Amino acid sequence: MREAIALARANIDAGGRPFGAVLVRDGEVIARAVNRIHETGDPTAHAELLAIREAARALGSPRLDGCVIYASGHPCPMCLAAMHLCGIEAVYYAYSNEEGEPYGLSTAAVYAQMARPPQQQSLPVRILMPDGEAGLYEAWQHGRG
């Protein structure tokens, strides 16, 4: 955790946001990353996602079962979803959403939106299936052998 916080502090000095992440498996650091939104303009360039991407490349697998992430701040819903999808075993964070709120660094409002049924969220999420379109998932299943 101290390394994740040190990465976050160094990222502040580099002009970035105060977020760092360290991904570990079996006591070995697999990946380290900082928030790179300021460098890339990519709103998904969060420390946790970048650490996940680096670890997946290093391990040669999209599955990160048995891995743990240490993050300087409470993971946002996007990062947490990615952790679920790739099999992260646990996540630990140092600074809470409540601590980040006065600085505009909390994602509590996004979590509140995500807790609502899709039809009640502020971002419209609706099905739109074109006429005559069918079989996409079946084609994928058959193409896999």
Side-chain angles (χ1 to χ4, degrees):
M1 182 58 77
R2 289 193 189 281
E3 186 174 354
I5 295 169
L7 287 167
R9 288 188 186 281
N11 205 41
I12 294 170
D13 294 339
R17 296 181 185 196
F19 299 108
V22 178
L23 192 145
V24 176
R25 185 168 75 179
D26 298 327
E28 178 186 350
V29 173
I30 306 298
R32 298 170 179 85
V34 295
N35 182 294
R36 297 214 181 276
I37 292 173
H38 68 291
E39 291 176 8
T40 65
D42 176 356
T44 70
H46 291 199
E48 299 92 332
L49 283 184
L50 295 175
I52 287 169
R53 291 172 188 158
E54 182 182 324
R57 279 190 301 272
L59 297 172
S61 173
R63 296 296 309 166
L64 300 177
D65 301 290
C67 292
V68 174
I69 289 186
Y70 297 90
S72 61
H74 189 286
C76 76
M78 173 181 65
C79 292
L80 187 61
M83 292 176 204
H84 280 284
L85 289 169
C86 69
I88 295 291
E89 182 176 287
V91 60
Y92 299 95
Y93 63 91
Y95 289 86
S96 69
N97 268 326
E98 292 76 22
E99 290 169 300
E101 182 67 34
Y103 308 97
L105 297 173
S106 173
T107 57
V110 180
Y111 271 102
Q113 278 294 314
M114 300 294 288
R116 302 175 77 170
Q119 299 79 7
Q120 294 177 13
Q121 293 179 18
S122 61
L123 176 66
V125 179
R126 308 289 186 265
I127 190 166
L128 178 61
M129 177 63 77
D131 289 337
E133 178 57 53
L136 179 65
Y137 295 159
E138 291 85 358
W140 174 78
Q141 184 67 41
H142 292 295
R144 293 178 52 210

